[in-house]
Amino acid sequence: MYIPKISALIDPSPDLYYHLKHLNEKIERVFITHPHFDHIAGLPELQVFKEVSFYAHEKTLYVAKLLQETFLGQKDWRYIPLEFNRWYEFGKFEVKHFPVIHQPGEIAGGFILKIGNKKIAITGDTGPEILKDKETLEEIQGADLLVSEMTHKHSIPRTHLGVEDAIRLARKVNAKKTLFVHISHSNYTHEELEERVGENGVIGKDFMILRI
């Protein structure tokens, strides 16, 4: 997910080259939710940018730097660790990295971004346990944009949200706009998902542009 106003990318996915070519935008900051392949493996494609700053939990940054050193060698890139449940100021915007449950023993999180008077909440990969996380739900309540994962037809405890729980999260948060993403091939077809989601949000697709 690219946010042009702050030249920021959330999660460099394996198909990043394909998207960078289409965007033709400068990326200065990269926020990473967790170090699973589908969220970080596109990092080497950022070699076209001389200076990039990466922000994530320190364990995620370890994997990010390892990818850089393995595939690209030395780069003038910065790696800045973020603690969970703490707000950070970046001049034009603020960021909070919050923890989520995603597979036993794994470090994973989501992000809340405040840009001017707008708030964007991104769940990252998370199990249905997020529906009972009162602190996180309170923080992302009323977001201008909620970006929620909707990986499978049905939720997998401590791993991923299914369709019904993703919709339930959108209703709990009462966001002005909700984008459902991270949809696997085992899920319903795009058309069927649109029917099931209805007015509760939008199903994500490549090169989609949302204005908030």
Side-chain angles (χ1 to χ4, degrees):
M1 177 180 177
Y2 178 68
I3 306 173
K5 195 169 185 178
I6 57 176
S7 301
L9 175 73
I10 312 294
D11 287 347
S13 61
D15 57 351
L16 185 59
Y17 173 79
Y18 176 61
H19 291 273
L20 287 177
K21 188 176 180 181
H22 180 85
L23 279 171
N24 193 29
E25 295 277 0
K26 183 178 181 181
I27 292 176
E28 298 175 344
R29 301 179 179 91
V30 178
F31 296 86
I32 307 174
T33 59
H34 65 296
H36 283 177
F37 175 84
D38 54 330
H39 293 258
I40 200 172
L43 185 145
E45 301 294 352
L46 294 165
Q47 63 183 305
V48 295
F49 303 109
K50 184 178 179 181
E51 296 181 0
V52 183
S53 296
F54 296 87
Y55 304 90
H57 186 277
E58 60 181 355
K59 290 188 177 180
T60 298
L61 287 182
Y62 171 81
V63 178
K65 198 167 193 305
L66 182 62
L67 278 173
Q68 173 226 299
E69 293 173 346
T70 301
F71 293 102
L72 306 176
Q74 293 299 314
K75 299 287 289 183
D76 292 326
W77 288 353
R78 300 171 66 228
Y79 294 85
I80 299 94
L82 301 181
E83 297 177 13
F84 283 137
N85 294 323
R86 174 183 166 187
W87 282 100
Y88 292 85
E89 291 190 16
F90 291 88
K92 293 181 180 179
F93 67 104
E94 298 176 73
V95 171
K96 181 177 182 178
H97 195 21
F98 60 88
V100 296
I101 296 175
H102 176 51
Q103 298 187 358
E106 296 284 349
I107 294 294
F111 289 106
I112 304 169
L113 292 86
K114 291 182 179 178
I115 309 170
N117 63 347
K118 302 294 184 179
K119 180 166 69 174
I120 301 172
I122 302 158
T123 66
D125 287 3
T126 179
E129 291 78 13
I130 193 173
L131 292 165
K132 297 180 180 179
D133 184 344
K134 293 182 180 179
E135 182 178 347
T136 296
L137 291 175
E138 185 175 333
E139 281 278 20
I140 64 180
Q141 186 68 214
D144 293 278
L145 174 64
L146 169 66
V147 182
S148 171
E149 75 128 299
M150 184 187 267
T151 306
H152 301 294
K153 293 178 180 177
H154 307 289
S155 290
I156 301 175
R158 303 183 65 82
T159 306
H160 284 298
L161 289 177
V163 176
E164 289 186 9
D165 280 336
I167 293 172
R168 190 173 292 118
L169 176 64
R171 289 173 176 168
K172 274 181 172 283
V173 171
N174 194 28
K176 294 178 182 177
K177 185 177 293 185
T178 298
L179 176 66
F180 296 109
V181 298
H182 203 270
I183 296 164
S184 75
H185 294 296
S186 67
N187 211 322
Y188 300 104
T189 64
H190 187 93
E191 293 75 16
E192 194 170 356
L193 277 175
E194 287 183 328
E195 287 186 14
R196 289 175 179 272
V197 166
E199 296 181 354
N200 292 292
V202 178
I203 304 299
K205 57 184 178 181
D206 286 350
F207 308 133
M208 177 179 282
I209 295 175
L210 293 179
R211 303 189 188 280
I212 60 169

